[in-house]
Amino acid sequence: MDNISYPVILTLMVPRETKSYRHVYFICFLVLYVLILSINVRLAMVIIMQKALHEPMYMFLCNLCINGVYGASGFYPKFLSDLILDSYVISSHMCALQIFVIYSSLLCEFTILTVMSYDRYVAICKPLEYHSKLTKNTCVKLILFSWIVPTFSAFNGTLLSNLRPFCAYHIDKLYCDNWSVVKLSCASSFVNNIYGYIVAAMSTGFEIIIIICYIKVISACRASLENRRKFWQTCLPHLLSLMNFTIAMLFDFMYNRYGSNDIPESLRNFLALELVIVPPVFNPLIYGLNIRAVRKRAFTLCVASRVNVSHSPKRRKT
């Protein structure tokens, strides 16, 4: 047991391509991060500022955008600093913080999508009970649930992985993740595996709720033209977001469990980064472009702001 210690500094994977194109990658990821911040903050501000959008579905969408900014901020600032400084190291405490932010964001996205599926089920299958079931207090409780449960789950998982004794210092990934830190320890991972199964069972329960809600929604849409219209306008973006998130989680699982030197590095990096790149960009775009009420008000605000700027009085030269 003498070779077991608690490392202060951990090293991350150094992409081979960044040796020659480090500044190009920095600019690309900086632009991507700014894009994620701008479109998510823009959509969230439209929903907050427009009273006509103060409906449950839009408030849940607002939380989805906020979560996208939160999760992206757990990856991009650190990765950008690694690129510009050419130093792929991280302290064990910052590694734990990154794990917590990224995984709490992922779990939060799953719970928000679950809440949104329930919202669409009530809106389409029980429209007369919509405002009585999804009251302001109920929406606040659902939003709190969608944040508290993932935060608690991610905190416990991060704590369990970082309280273990470490025998290695290198993480074969561009950012810290829970399973990579668990593999750094010489101790048994039995407790971590059990907790992982508990979180997986909880996630499976959420997925079952989503499936049941949409089975009932699709059944209701078959009998009504109005319901079919609601489905295409509001449910389709939700289903696309759910499919995108599921594929991203599958890629992350494949990378963690099967990522090895036998797989080309470019493919390994894609599997690792898809989870933190695609959902934060995809979600606000698909909702903002497909939902007419959001698209119309976002466009109106953009035009109004440009008109105000163009008609603002210019200072006279003295």
Side-chain angles (χ1 to χ4, degrees):
M1 300 293 289
D2 295 335
N3 64 334
I4 297 177
S5 61
Y6 292 93
V8 177
I9 299 297
L10 303 174
T11 59
L12 300 170
M13 181 204 297
V14 181
R16 295 175 186 174
E17 299 89 345
T18 59
K19 291 295 183 182
S20 303
Y21 304 101
R22 182 162 53 93
H23 294 92
V24 175
Y25 278 96
F26 174 81
I27 293 173
C28 291
F29 278 94
L30 178 60
V31 170
L32 185 60
Y33 183 45
V34 172
L35 176 65
I36 289 173
L37 293 180
S38 60
I39 59 178
N40 279 280
V41 170
R42 179 67 181 177
L43 188 55
M45 290 302 297
V46 167
I47 295 173
I48 292 172
M49 294 172 60
Q50 296 293 309
K51 292 185 178 180
L53 297 179
H54 290 181
E55 295 289 334
M57 181 184 70
Y58 303 120
M59 298 310 298
F60 298 146
L61 174 57
C62 180
N63 277 269
L64 192 65
C65 294
I66 294 172
N67 181 63
V69 173
Y70 166 67
S73 299
F75 167 73
Y76 286 93
K78 176 64 178 69
F79 187 61
L80 289 171
S81 68
D82 289 342
L83 288 173
I84 199 65
L85 299 175
D86 197 22
S87 176
Y88 300 86
V89 296
I90 188 170
S91 69
S92 55
H93 298 297
M94 289 304 297
C95 185
L97 178 61
Q98 188 175 56
I99 292 171
F100 170 75
V101 172
I102 291 177
Y103 278 86
S104 61
S105 172
L106 294 176
L107 291 173
C108 187
E109 180 161 348
F110 202 31
T111 53
I112 292 175
L113 290 174
T114 304
V115 169
M116 292 176 76
S117 68
Y118 173 73
D119 170 80
R120 292 299 85 200
Y121 158 70
V122 177
I124 293 177
C125 298
K126 300 181 179 181
L128 298 179
E129 303 177 24
Y130 184 74
H131 292 289
S132 62
K133 284 183 173 291
L134 287 169
T135 62
K136 183 177 180 180
N137 289 334
T138 302
C139 291
V140 170
K141 291 177 182 179
L142 289 174
I143 291 172
L144 290 176
F145 167 81
S146 64
W147 283 94
I148 292 174
V149 171
T151 301
F152 181 76
S153 302
F155 178 79
N156 288 336
T158 305
L159 191 65
L160 286 174
S161 62
N162 283 270
L163 287 178
R164 296 154 49 85
F166 290 84
C167 298
Y169 306 133
H170 179 69
I171 295 175
D172 192 29
K173 205 169 184 179
L174 297 173
Y175 59 90
C176 292
D177 78 301
N178 201 53
W179 185 249
S180 297
V181 172
V182 169
K183 291 191 294 185
L184 296 179
S185 176
C186 303
S188 171
S189 60
F190 176 78
V191 176
N192 300 82
N193 286 329
I194 292 298
Y195 187 76
Y197 289 134
I198 293 174
V199 174
M202 180 182 67
S203 301
T204 303
F206 291 145
E207 193 160 349
I208 291 173
I209 292 174
I210 294 173
I211 292 172
I212 292 174
C213 286
Y214 272 97
I215 288 175
K216 294 185 177 182
V217 165
I218 292 172
S219 299
C221 288
R222 294 173 60 185
S224 171
L225 180 61
E226 178 66 19
N227 287 343
R228 284 199 292 272
R229 186 184 63 82
K230 288 182 180 180
F231 179 85
W232 288 111
Q233 287 188 352
T234 61
C235 296
L236 184 61
H238 180 261
L239 285 175
L240 292 175
S241 296
L242 183 63
M243 290 172 58
N244 173 66
F245 178 74
T246 303
I247 293 172
M249 288 295 291
L250 179 61
F251 280 164
D252 185 67
F253 174 81
M254 290 171 60
Y255 182 94
N256 288 330
R257 299 291 176 171
Y258 305 109
S260 66
N261 294 328
D262 298 332
I263 301 176
E265 184 178 293
S266 57
L267 178 59
R268 285 192 292 155
N269 290 339
F270 173 76
L271 293 176
L273 293 178
E274 203 274 348
L275 194 62
V276 294
I277 290 179
V278 179
V281 176
F282 182 86
N283 288 338
L285 285 179
I286 191 65
Y287 277 102
L289 293 175
N290 197 70
I291 299 179
R292 182 180 179 183
V294 176
R295 182 178 68 249
K296 181 179 178 181
R297 284 168 174 80
F299 179 76
T300 302
L301 284 181
C302 289
V303 172
S305 61
R306 291 179 181 178
V307 170
N308 289 336
V309 171
S310 62
H311 285 79
S312 59
K314 297 180 180 180
R315 294 182 181 180
R316 296 181 179 178
K317 294 182 179 181
T318 57

